[in-house]
């Protein structure tokens, strides 16, 4: 039984990483921004940025926020109401 749960979590996580990768690539194309320009504006080494775009699970939150700011991506964190609310 636990293997199914782990596989489902990995699938969900992979979908999220694919979504982030696609979002970054799409907005780069939309704004005609290449890797060098994004790296410079987001204060990230261009080689590091290229590698992290391939593997979004390696992107730290501060890096993701800087990339999102450059590409005008809005990140919204939403929580559910708890049982006491």
């Amino acid at each position: 039984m636990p293997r199914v749960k782990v596989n489902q979590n990995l699938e969900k996580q992979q979908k999220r990483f694919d979504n982030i990768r696609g979002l970054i690539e799409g907005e780069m194309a939309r704004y005609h921004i290449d890797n060098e320009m994004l790296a410079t504006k987001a204060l990230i080494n261009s080689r590091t940025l290229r590698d992290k775009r391939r593997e979004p699970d390696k992107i730290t939150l501060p890096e993701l926020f800087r990339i999102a700011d450059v590409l005008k991506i809005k990140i919204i964190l939403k929580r559910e109401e708890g049982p006491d609310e």
Side-chain angles (χ1 to χ4, degrees):
M1 288 284 210
R3 287 179 184 241
V4 173
K5 187 79 166 169
V6 170
N7 287 341
Q8 287 174 345
N9 287 340
L10 288 175
E11 281 181 26
K12 188 176 186 180
Q13 188 177 34
Q14 189 59 47
K15 285 180 183 179
R16 288 176 175 165
F17 291 143
D18 289 343
N19 188 15
I20 290 170
R21 181 185 303 111
L23 198 62
I24 291 171
E25 298 297 323
E27 294 304 299
M28 285 177 69
R30 179 178 175 208
Y31 289 110
H32 307 290
I33 295 177
D34 64 359
N35 192 67
E36 295 292 325
M37 189 184 302
L38 180 58
T40 301
K41 290 183 176 186
L43 305 174
I44 303 171
N45 182 300
S46 63
R47 178 181 257 171
T48 302
L49 179 61
R50 184 194 69 219
D51 293 342
K52 289 187 178 194
R53 282 177 42 215
R54 287 184 190 151
E55 297 179 69
D57 56 316
K58 306 276 194 233
I59 299 175
T60 64
L61 277 176
E63 291 169 338
L64 181 61
F65 291 145
R66 290 195 308 262
I67 291 168
D69 288 343
V70 172
L71 297 175
K72 299 174 184 158
I73 298 170
K74 185 183 277 188
I75 298 174
I76 298 172
L77 301 174
K78 183 179 174 185
R79 76 175 186 86
E80 290 184 17
E81 290 186 15
D84 57 341
E85 296 177 303

Coordinates of all heavy atoms in Angstrom, one line a residue:
M1 N 0.8 -1.2 0.0 CA 0.0 0.0 0.0 C 0.8 1.3 0.0 O 0.5 2.2 -0.8 CB -1.0 0.0 1.2 CG -2.1 -1.0 1.1 SD -3.3 -0.3 -0.1 CE -4.7 -1.1 0.6
P2 N 1.9 1.4 0.8 CA 2.6 2.7 0.8 C 3.3 3.0 -0.5 O 3.4 4.2 -0.8 CB 3.7 2.4 1.9 CG 3.2 1.3 2.7 CD 2.3 0.5 1.8
R3 N 3.6 2.0 -1.3 CA 4.2 2.3 -2.6 C 3.3 3.1 -3.5 O 3.8 4.0 -4.2 CB 4.7 1.0 -3.3 CG 5.8 0.4 -2.7 CD 6.2 -0.9 -3.4 NE 7.2 -1.6 -2.7 CZ 8.4 -1.8 -3.3 NH1 8.6 -1.5 -4.5 NH2 9.3 -2.4 -2.6
V4 N 2.1 2.8 -3.5 CA 1.1 3.6 -4.3 C 1.1 5.0 -3.9 O 1.2 5.9 -4.7 CB -0.3 3.0 -4.2 CG1 -1.3 3.9 -4.9 CG2 -0.3 1.6 -4.8
K5 N 1.1 5.3 -2.6 CA 1.1 6.7 -2.1 C 2.4 7.4 -2.5 O 2.3 8.5 -2.9 CB 1.0 6.6 -0.6 CG 0.8 7.9 0.1 CD -0.6 8.4 0.0 CE -0.8 9.6 0.9 NZ -2.1 10.2 0.7
V6 N 3.5 6.7 -2.4 CA 4.8 7.3 -2.8 C 4.8 7.6 -4.3 O 5.2 8.7 -4.7 CB 6.0 6.4 -2.4 CG1 7.3 6.9 -3.0 CG2 6.1 6.3 -0.9
N7 N 4.3 6.7 -5.1 CA 4.3 6.9 -6.5 C 3.4 8.1 -6.9 O 3.7 8.9 -7.8 CB 3.9 5.7 -7.3 CG 4.9 4.6 -7.3 OD1 6.1 4.9 -7.1 ND2 4.6 3.4 -7.5
Q8 N 2.2 8.2 -6.2 CA 1.3 9.3 -6.5 C 1.9 10.6 -6.1 O 1.8 11.6 -6.8 CB 0.0 9.1 -5.7 CG -0.9 8.0 -6.3 CD -2.1 7.7 -5.4 OE1 -2.2 8.2 -4.3 NE2 -3.0 7.0 -6.0
N9 N 2.7 10.7 -5.0 CA 3.3 11.9 -4.6 C 4.4 12.3 -5.5 O 4.6 13.5 -5.8 CB 3.9 11.7 -3.2 CG 2.8 11.8 -2.1 OD1 1.7 12.2 -2.3 ND2 3.1 11.2 -0.9
L10 N 5.2 11.3 -6.0 CA 6.2 11.6 -7.0 C 5.6 12.1 -8.3 O 6.2 13.0 -8.9 CB 7.1 10.3 -7.3 CG 8.0 9.9 -6.1 CD1 8.7 8.6 -6.5 CD2 9.0 11.0 -5.8
E11 N 4.5 11.5 -8.7 CA 3.9 12.0 -10.0 C 3.4 13.4 -9.8 O 3.6 14.3 -10.7 CB 2.7 11.1 -10.3 CG 3.1 9.8 -11.0 CD 1.8 9.0 -11.3 OE1 0.7 9.6 -11.5 OE2 1.9 7.7 -11.4
K12 N 2.8 13.7 -8.7 CA 2.3 15.0 -8.4 C 3.4 16.1 -8.4 O 3.3 17.1 -8.9 CB 1.6 15.0 -7.0 CG 0.8 16.3 -6.7 CD 0.1 16.1 -5.4 CE -0.8 17.2 -5.1 NZ -1.5 17.0 -3.8
Q13 N 4.5 15.7 -7.7 CA 5.7 16.5 -7.7 C 6.3 16.8 -9.0 O 6.7 17.9 -9.4 CB 6.7 15.9 -6.7 CG 7.9 16.8 -6.4 CD 8.8 16.1 -5.4 OE1 9.0 14.9 -5.4 NE2 9.4 16.8 -4.6
Q14 N 6.4 15.7 -9.8 CA 6.9 15.8 -11.2 C 6.1 16.8 -12.0 O 6.6 17.6 -12.8 CB 7.1 14.5 -11.8 CG 7.8 14.5 -13.1 CD 9.3 15.1 -13.0 OE1 10.0 14.7 -12.1 NE2 9.6 16.0 -13.8
K15 N 4.8 16.7 -11.9 CA 3.9 17.5 -12.7 C 4.1 19.0 -12.3 O 4.0 19.9 -13.1 CB 2.4 17.1 -12.4 CG 2.0 15.9 -13.2 CD 0.5 15.6 -12.9 CE 0.1 14.3 -13.6 NZ -1.3 13.9 -13.3
R16 N 4.3 19.2 -11.0 CA 4.6 20.6 -10.5 C 5.9 21.1 -11.1 O 5.9 22.3 -11.5 CB 4.6 20.6 -9.0 CG 3.2 20.5 -8.4 CD 3.3 20.4 -6.9 NE 2.0 20.4 -6.3 CZ 1.7 20.1 -5.1 NH1 2.7 19.8 -4.3 NH2 0.5 20.0 -4.6
F17 N 6.9 20.3 -11.1 CA 8.2 20.7 -11.7 C 8.1 21.0 -13.2 O 8.6 21.9 -13.7 CB 9.3 19.7 -11.4 CG 9.7 19.6 -9.9 CD1 10.0 18.4 -9.4 CD2 9.7 20.7 -9.1 CE1 10.4 18.3 -8.1 CE2 10.1 20.6 -7.8 CZ 10.4 19.4 -7.3
D18 N 7.3 20.1 -13.9 CA 7.1 20.3 -15.3 C 6.3 21.6 -15.5 O 6.6 22.3 -16.5 CB 6.3 19.2 -15.9 CG 7.1 17.9 -16.0 OD1 8.4 18.0 -15.9 OD2 6.5 16.8 -16.1
N19 N 5.4 21.9 -14.7 CA 4.6 23.2 -14.8 C 5.5 24.4 -14.6 O 5.5 25.3 -15.4 CB 3.5 23.2 -13.7 CG 2.5 24.3 -13.9 OD1 2.5 25.0 -15.0 ND2 1.8 24.6 -12.9
I20 N 6.4 24.3 -13.6 CA 7.3 25.4 -13.4 C 8.3 25.6 -14.6 O 8.5 26.7 -15.1 CB 8.1 25.2 -12.1 CG1 7.2 25.4 -10.9 CG2 9.3 26.2 -12.0 CD1 7.8 25.0 -9.6
R21 N 8.8 24.5 -15.1 CA 9.7 24.5 -16.3 C 9.0 25.1 -17.5 O 9.5 26.0 -18.1 CB 10.2 23.1 -16.6 CG 11.1 23.1 -17.8 CD 11.5 21.7 -18.2 NE 12.1 20.9 -17.2 CZ 11.6 19.8 -16.6 NH1 10.4 19.4 -17.0 NH2 12.2 19.2 -15.6
G22 N 7.7 24.7 -17.7 CA 7.0 25.2 -18.8 C 6.6 26.7 -18.7 O 6.7 27.5 -19.6
L23 N 6.3 27.1 -17.5 CA 6.0 28.5 -17.2 C 7.2 29.4 -17.5 O 7.0 30.4 -18.1 CB 5.5 28.6 -15.7 CG 4.8 29.8 -15.3 CD1 3.4 29.9 -16.1 CD2 4.5 29.8 -13.8
I24 N 8.3 29.0 -17.0 CA 9.6 29.8 -17.2 C 9.9 29.9 -18.7 O 10.1 30.9 -19.2 CB 10.7 29.2 -16.4 CG1 10.5 29.4 -14.9 CG2 12.0 29.9 -16.8 CD1 11.5 28.7 -14.0
E25 N 9.8 28.7 -19.4 CA 10.2 28.7 -20.8 C 9.2 29.5 -21.6 O 9.6 30.3 -22.5 CB 10.2 27.2 -21.3 CG 11.2 26.3 -20.7 CD 12.6 26.7 -20.9 OE1 12.9 27.2 -22.0 OE2 13.4 26.6 -20.0
G26 N 7.9 29.4 -21.3 CA 6.9 30.1 -22.0 C 7.0 31.6 -21.8 O 6.9 32.4 -22.8
E27 N 7.2 32.1 -20.6 CA 7.4 33.5 -20.4 C 8.7 34.1 -21.0 O 8.7 35.2 -21.4 CB 7.3 33.8 -18.9 CG 5.9 33.5 -18.3 CD 4.8 34.2 -19.0 OE1 4.8 35.5 -19.0 OE2 3.9 33.5 -19.5
M28 N 9.7 33.2 -21.0 CA 11.0 33.7 -21.7 C 10.7 33.9 -23.1 O 11.1 34.9 -23.7 CB 12.1 32.6 -21.5 CG 12.7 32.6 -20.1 SD 13.9 31.4 -19.9 CE 15.2 32.0 -20.9
A29 N 10.0 33.0 -23.8 CA 9.6 33.2 -25.2 C 8.7 34.4 -25.4 O 8.9 35.1 -26.3 CB 9.0 31.9 -25.7
R30 N 7.7 34.5 -24.5 CA 6.8 35.6 -24.6 C 7.4 37.0 -24.6 O 7.1 37.9 -25.3 CB 5.8 35.5 -23.5 CG 4.7 36.6 -23.5 CD 3.7 36.3 -22.3 NE 2.8 37.4 -22.2 CZ 2.2 37.8 -21.1 NH1 2.4 37.1 -20.0 NH2 1.4 38.8 -21.1
Y31 N 8.4 37.1 -23.6 CA 9.1 38.4 -23.5 C 10.4 38.5 -24.3 O 11.1 39.5 -24.1 CB 9.4 38.7 -22.0 CG 8.1 39.0 -21.2 CD1 7.6 38.1 -20.3 CD2 7.4 40.2 -21.4 CE1 6.5 38.4 -19.6 CE2 6.3 40.5 -20.7 CZ 5.8 39.6 -19.8 OH 4.6 39.9 -19.1
H32 N 10.7 37.5 -25.1 CA 11.9 37.5 -25.9 C 13.2 37.6 -25.0 O 14.0 38.4 -25.3 CB 11.9 38.5 -27.0 CG 10.6 38.4 -27.8 ND1 10.4 37.4 -28.7 CD2 9.6 39.2 -27.9 CE1 9.3 37.6 -29.3 NE2 8.7 38.7 -28.8
I33 N 13.2 36.9 -23.9 CA 14.3 36.9 -23.0 C 15.1 35.7 -23.1 O 14.6 34.6 -23.1 CB 13.8 37.1 -21.5 CG1 13.1 38.5 -21.4 CG2 15.0 37.0 -20.6 CD1 12.6 38.7 -20.0
D34 N 16.4 35.8 -23.4 CA 17.3 34.6 -23.5 C 17.8 34.3 -22.1 O 17.7 35.0 -21.1 CB 18.3 34.8 -24.5 CG 19.3 35.9 -24.2 OD1 19.2 36.6 -23.2 OD2 20.3 36.0 -25.0
N35 N 18.6 33.2 -22.0 CA 19.1 32.7 -20.7 C 20.1 33.7 -20.1 O 20.0 34.0 -18.9 CB 19.8 31.4 -20.9 CG 20.2 30.7 -19.6 OD1 19.3 30.3 -18.9 ND2 21.5 30.6 -19.3
E36 N 20.9 34.3 -21.0 CA 21.9 35.3 -20.5 C 21.2 36.5 -19.8 O 21.6 37.0 -18.8 CB 22.8 35.8 -21.6 CG 23.7 34.7 -22.2 CD 24.7 34.3 -21.2 OE1 25.2 35.1 -20.4 OE2 25.1 33.1 -21.2
M37 N 20.2 37.0 -20.5 CA 19.5 38.2 -20.0 C 18.7 37.9 -18.7 O 18.8 38.7 -17.8 CB 18.5 38.7 -21.1 CG 17.8 40.0 -20.7 SD 16.6 40.5 -21.9 CE 17.5 40.6 -23.4
L38 N 18.1 36.7 -18.7 CA 17.3 36.3 -17.5 C 18.3 36.2 -16.3 O 18.0 36.6 -15.2 CB 16.5 35.1 -17.7 CG 15.7 34.5 -16.5 CD1 14.8 35.6 -16.0 CD2 15.0 33.3 -16.9
A39 N 19.4 35.5 -16.6 CA 20.4 35.3 -15.5 C 20.9 36.6 -15.0 O 21.1 36.8 -13.8 CB 21.6 34.5 -16.1
T40 N 21.2 37.6 -15.8 CA 21.7 38.9 -15.4 C 20.7 39.6 -14.6 O 21.0 40.1 -13.5 CB 22.1 39.7 -16.6 OG1 23.1 39.0 -17.4 CG2 22.6 41.1 -16.2
K41 N 19.4 39.6 -15.0 CA 18.4 40.3 -14.3 C 18.0 39.6 -13.0 O 17.6 40.3 -12.0 CB 17.2 40.5 -15.2 CG 17.4 41.5 -16.3 CD 16.1 41.7 -17.1 CE 16.3 42.7 -18.2 NZ 15.1 43.0 -18.9
A42 N 18.1 38.3 -12.9 CA 17.7 37.6 -11.7 C 18.9 37.3 -10.8 O 18.8 36.7 -9.8 CB 17.1 36.2 -12.1
L43 N 20.1 37.9 -11.2 CA 21.3 37.8 -10.4 C 21.7 36.3 -10.1 O 22.0 35.9 -9.0 CB 21.1 38.5 -9.0 CG 20.7 40.0 -9.1 CD1 20.4 40.5 -7.8 CD2 21.7 40.8 -9.9
I44 N 21.7 35.5 -11.2 CA 22.1 34.1 -11.1 C 23.1 33.9 -12.2 O 22.9 34.4 -13.3 CB 20.8 33.2 -11.4 CG1 19.7 33.5 -10.3 CG2 21.2 31.7 -11.3 CD1 18.4 32.8 -10.6
N45 N 24.1 33.0 -12.0 CA 25.0 32.7 -13.0 C 24.3 32.0 -14.2 O 23.4 31.2 -14.0 CB 26.1 31.7 -12.4 CG 27.1 31.3 -13.3 OD1 26.9 30.7 -14.4 ND2 28.4 31.6 -13.0
S46 N 24.7 32.4 -15.4 CA 23.9 31.9 -16.6 C 24.0 30.3 -16.7 O 23.0 29.7 -17.1 CB 24.4 32.5 -17.8 OG 25.8 32.2 -18.1
R47 N 25.1 29.8 -16.4 CA 25.3 28.3 -16.5 C 24.4 27.6 -15.4 O 23.7 26.6 -15.6 CB 26.7 27.9 -16.3 CG 26.9 26.4 -16.3 CD 28.3 26.0 -16.1 NE 28.8 25.6 -17.4 CZ 30.1 25.4 -17.7 NH1 31.0 25.5 -16.7 NH2 30.5 25.0 -18.9
T48 N 24.4 28.2 -14.2 CA 23.6 27.7 -13.1 C 22.1 27.8 -13.5 O 21.3 26.9 -13.3 CB 23.8 28.5 -11.8 OG1 25.2 28.4 -11.5 CG2 23.0 28.0 -10.7
L49 N 21.7 28.9 -14.0 CA 20.3 29.1 -14.5 C 19.9 28.1 -15.5 O 18.8 27.5 -15.4 CB 20.1 30.5 -15.0 CG 18.6 30.8 -15.5 CD1 17.6 30.6 -14.4 CD2 18.6 32.2 -16.1
R50 N 20.8 27.9 -16.5 CA 20.5 26.9 -17.5 C 20.3 25.5 -16.9 O 19.3 24.8 -17.3 CB 21.6 26.8 -18.5 CG 21.4 25.9 -19.7 CD 22.6 25.6 -20.5 NE 23.5 24.8 -19.7 CZ 24.8 24.9 -19.6 NH1 25.4 25.8 -20.4 NH2 25.5 24.1 -18.9
D51 N 21.1 25.1 -16.0 CA 21.0 23.8 -15.3 C 19.7 23.7 -14.5 O 19.1 22.7 -14.5 CB 22.2 23.5 -14.4 CG 23.5 23.4 -15.2 OD1 23.4 23.1 -16.5 OD2 24.6 23.5 -14.6
K52 N 19.4 24.8 -13.8 CA 18.2 24.8 -13.0 C 16.9 24.8 -13.8 O 15.9 24.3 -13.3 CB 18.3 25.9 -11.9 CG 19.3 25.6 -10.9 CD 19.3 26.6 -9.8 CE 20.4 26.2 -8.8 NZ 20.3 26.9 -7.5
R53 N 17.0 25.4 -15.0 CA 15.8 25.4 -15.8 C 15.6 23.9 -16.3 O 14.4 23.6 -16.5 CB 16.0 26.3 -17.0 CG 15.8 27.7 -16.7 CD 16.1 28.7 -17.9 NE 15.6 28.2 -19.1 CZ 16.2 28.4 -20.3 NH1 17.3 29.1 -20.3 NH2 15.6 28.0 -21.4
R54 N 16.6 23.2 -16.5 CA 16.4 21.8 -16.9 C 15.9 20.9 -15.7 O 15.1 20.0 -15.9 CB 17.8 21.2 -17.3 CG 18.2 21.7 -18.6 CD 19.5 21.0 -19.1 NE 20.1 21.6 -20.2 CZ 21.3 21.7 -20.5 NH1 22.2 21.1 -19.7 NH2 21.8 22.3 -21.6
E55 N 16.3 21.3 -14.5 CA 15.9 20.5 -13.3 C 15.3 21.5 -12.3 O 16.0 22.0 -11.4 CB 17.1 19.8 -12.7 CG 17.7 18.8 -13.5 CD 18.9 18.1 -12.9 OE1 18.7 17.4 -11.9 OE2 20.0 18.4 -13.3
P56 N 14.0 21.9 -12.4 CA 13.4 22.9 -11.6 C 13.4 22.5 -10.1 O 13.3 23.4 -9.3 CB 12.0 23.1 -12.1 CG 11.9 22.3 -13.3 CD 13.1 21.4 -13.5
D57 N 13.6 21.3 -9.8 CA 13.6 20.9 -8.4 C 14.8 21.4 -7.7 O 14.9 21.5 -6.4 CB 13.5 19.4 -8.2 CG 14.5 18.6 -8.9 OD1 14.8 19.0 -10.1 OD2 15.1 17.7 -8.4
K58 N 15.8 21.9 -8.4 CA 17.0 22.4 -7.8 C 16.9 23.9 -7.6 O 17.8 24.5 -6.9 CB 18.2 22.2 -8.8 CG 18.4 20.7 -9.2 CD 19.2 20.0 -8.1 CE 19.6 18.7 -8.7 NZ 19.3 17.5 -8.0
I59 N 15.9 24.6 -8.0 CA 15.7 26.0 -7.9 C 15.3 26.3 -6.4 O 14.4 25.7 -5.9 CB 14.6 26.6 -8.8 CG1 15.0 26.4 -10.3 CG2 14.4 28.1 -8.6 CD1 14.0 26.8 -11.3
T60 N 16.0 27.2 -5.8 CA 15.7 27.7 -4.5 C 14.6 28.7 -4.5 O 14.3 29.3 -5.6 CB 16.9 28.3 -3.7 OG1 17.3 29.5 -4.4 CG2 18.1 27.3 -3.7
L61 N 13.9 28.9 -3.4 CA 12.8 29.8 -3.4 C 13.2 31.3 -3.7 O 12.6 31.9 -4.5 CB 12.0 29.8 -2.1 CG 11.0 28.7 -1.9 CD1 10.4 28.7 -0.5 CD2 9.9 28.9 -2.9
P62 N 14.3 31.7 -3.1 CA 14.8 33.1 -3.5 C 15.1 33.2 -5.0 O 14.7 34.2 -5.6 CB 16.0 33.3 -2.7 CG 15.9 32.4 -1.5 CD 15.1 31.2 -2.0
E63 N 15.7 32.2 -5.6 CA 15.9 32.2 -7.0 C 14.6 32.2 -7.8 O 14.5 33.0 -8.8 CB 16.8 31.0 -7.5 CG 18.2 31.1 -7.0 CD 18.9 29.7 -7.1 OE1 18.3 28.7 -7.3 OE2 20.2 29.8 -7.2
L64 N 13.7 31.4 -7.4 CA 12.4 31.3 -8.1 C 11.6 32.7 -8.0 O 11.1 33.1 -9.0 CB 11.5 30.2 -7.5 CG 10.1 30.0 -8.1 CD1 10.3 29.6 -9.6 CD2 9.4 29.0 -7.4
F65 N 11.7 33.3 -6.9 CA 11.1 34.6 -6.7 C 11.7 35.7 -7.6 O 11.0 36.5 -8.2 CB 11.1 35.1 -5.3 CG 10.2 34.3 -4.3 CD1 10.6 34.1 -3.0 CD2 9.0 33.7 -4.8 CE1 9.8 33.3 -2.2 CE2 8.2 33.0 -3.9 CZ 8.6 32.8 -2.6
R66 N 13.0 35.7 -7.7 CA 13.7 36.6 -8.6 C 13.4 36.3 -10.1 O 13.1 37.3 -10.8 CB 15.2 36.6 -8.4 CG 15.7 37.1 -7.0 CD 17.1 37.4 -6.9 NE 18.0 36.3 -7.3 CZ 18.5 35.5 -6.4 NH1 18.3 35.6 -5.1 NH2 19.3 34.5 -6.9
I67 N 13.4 35.1 -10.5 CA 13.0 34.7 -11.8 C 11.6 35.1 -12.1 O 11.3 35.7 -13.2 CB 13.2 33.2 -12.1 CG1 14.7 32.8 -12.0 CG2 12.5 32.7 -13.4 CD1 14.9 31.3 -12.0
A68 N 10.7 34.9 -11.2 CA 9.3 35.3 -11.4 C 9.1 36.8 -11.5 O 8.3 37.2 -12.3 CB 8.4 34.7 -10.2
D69 N 9.9 37.5 -10.7 CA 9.8 39.0 -10.8 C 10.3 39.5 -12.2 O 9.6 40.3 -12.8 CB 10.7 39.6 -9.7 CG 10.1 39.5 -8.3 OD1 8.9 39.2 -8.2 OD2 10.9 39.7 -7.4
V70 N 11.3 38.9 -12.7 CA 11.8 39.3 -14.0 C 10.8 38.9 -15.1 O 10.6 39.7 -16.0 CB 13.2 38.6 -14.3 CG1 13.6 38.9 -15.8 CG2 14.3 39.1 -13.4
L71 N 10.2 37.8 -15.0 CA 9.3 37.3 -16.0 C 7.9 37.7 -15.8 O 7.0 37.3 -16.5 CB 9.4 35.8 -16.2 CG 10.7 35.2 -16.6 CD1 10.8 33.7 -16.6 CD2 11.1 35.7 -18.0
K72 N 7.6 38.5 -14.7 CA 6.3 39.0 -14.4 C 5.3 37.9 -14.1 O 4.2 37.9 -14.6 CB 5.8 40.0 -15.4 CG 6.7 41.2 -15.6 CD 6.3 42.0 -16.7 CE 7.3 43.1 -16.9 NZ 7.3 43.7 -18.2
I73 N 5.8 36.8 -13.4 CA 5.0 35.7 -13.0 C 4.5 36.0 -11.6 O 5.3 36.3 -10.7 CB 5.7 34.4 -13.1 CG1 6.2 34.1 -14.5 CG2 4.9 33.2 -12.5 CD1 7.2 32.9 -14.6
K74 N 3.2 35.9 -11.4 CA 2.7 36.1 -10.0 C 2.6 34.7 -9.3 O 2.0 33.8 -9.9 CB 1.3 36.7 -10.1 CG 0.7 37.0 -8.7 CD -0.7 37.6 -8.9 CE -0.6 39.1 -9.2 NZ -1.9 39.7 -9.1
I75 N 3.2 34.6 -8.2 CA 3.1 33.4 -7.4 C 2.2 33.6 -6.2 O 2.3 34.6 -5.4 CB 4.5 33.0 -6.8 CG1 5.5 32.8 -7.9 CG2 4.4 31.8 -5.9 CD1 6.9 32.5 -7.5
I76 N 1.1 32.8 -6.2 CA 0.1 32.9 -5.2 C 0.1 31.7 -4.3 O 0.0 30.6 -4.8 CB -1.3 33.1 -5.8 CG1 -1.3 34.4 -6.6 CG2 -2.4 33.1 -4.7 CD1 -2.6 34.5 -7.4
L77 N 0.3 31.9 -3.0 CA 0.2 30.8 -2.1 C -1.1 30.9 -1.4 O -1.5 31.9 -0.8 CB 1.4 30.9 -1.0 CG 2.8 30.8 -1.6 CD1 3.8 31.1 -0.5 CD2 3.0 29.6 -2.3
K78 N -1.9 29.8 -1.4 CA -3.2 29.8 -0.9 C -3.4 28.6 0.1 O -2.9 27.5 -0.2 CB -4.2 29.7 -2.0 CG -5.7 29.7 -1.6 CD -6.6 29.6 -2.8 CE -8.0 29.5 -2.4 NZ -8.9 29.3 -3.5
R79 N -3.9 28.9 1.2 CA -4.1 27.8 2.2 C -5.6 27.6 2.4 O -6.4 28.5 2.2 CB -3.4 28.1 3.5 CG -4.1 29.1 4.4 CD -3.3 29.1 5.7 NE -4.0 30.0 6.7 CZ -5.0 29.5 7.5 NH1 -5.4 28.3 7.5 NH2 -5.5 30.4 8.3
E80 N -5.9 26.3 2.7 CA -7.3 26.0 3.0 C -7.7 26.4 4.4 O -6.8 26.5 5.3 CB -7.5 24.5 2.9 CG -7.4 23.9 1.5 CD -7.7 22.5 1.5 OE1 -8.3 21.9 2.4 OE2 -7.4 21.8 0.4
E81 N -9.0 26.7 4.6 CA -9.4 27.0 6.0 C -9.3 25.7 6.8 O -9.6 24.6 6.3 CB -10.9 27.5 5.9 CG -11.0 28.8 5.4 CD -12.4 29.4 5.5 OE1 -13.2 28.8 6.3 OE2 -12.7 30.3 4.8
G82 N -8.9 25.9 8.0 CA -8.8 24.7 8.9 C -10.1 24.4 9.6 O -11.1 25.1 9.5
P83 N -10.1 23.3 10.4 CA -11.4 23.0 11.1 C -11.8 24.0 12.1 O -13.0 24.0 12.5 CB -11.0 21.6 11.7 CG -9.5 21.6 11.8 CD -9.0 22.5 10.7
D84 N -10.9 24.8 12.6 CA -11.2 25.7 13.7 C -11.6 27.1 13.1 O -11.9 28.0 13.8 CB -10.1 25.9 14.6 CG -8.8 26.3 14.0 OD1 -8.7 26.2 12.7 OD2 -7.9 26.8 14.7
E85 N -11.7 27.2 11.8 CA -12.0 28.5 11.2 C -13.4 28.5 10.6 O -14.0 27.6 10.1 CB -11.0 28.8 10.1 CG -9.6 29.0 10.7 CD -8.6 29.2 9.6 OE1 -8.5 28.4 8.7 OE2 -7.9 30.3 9.7

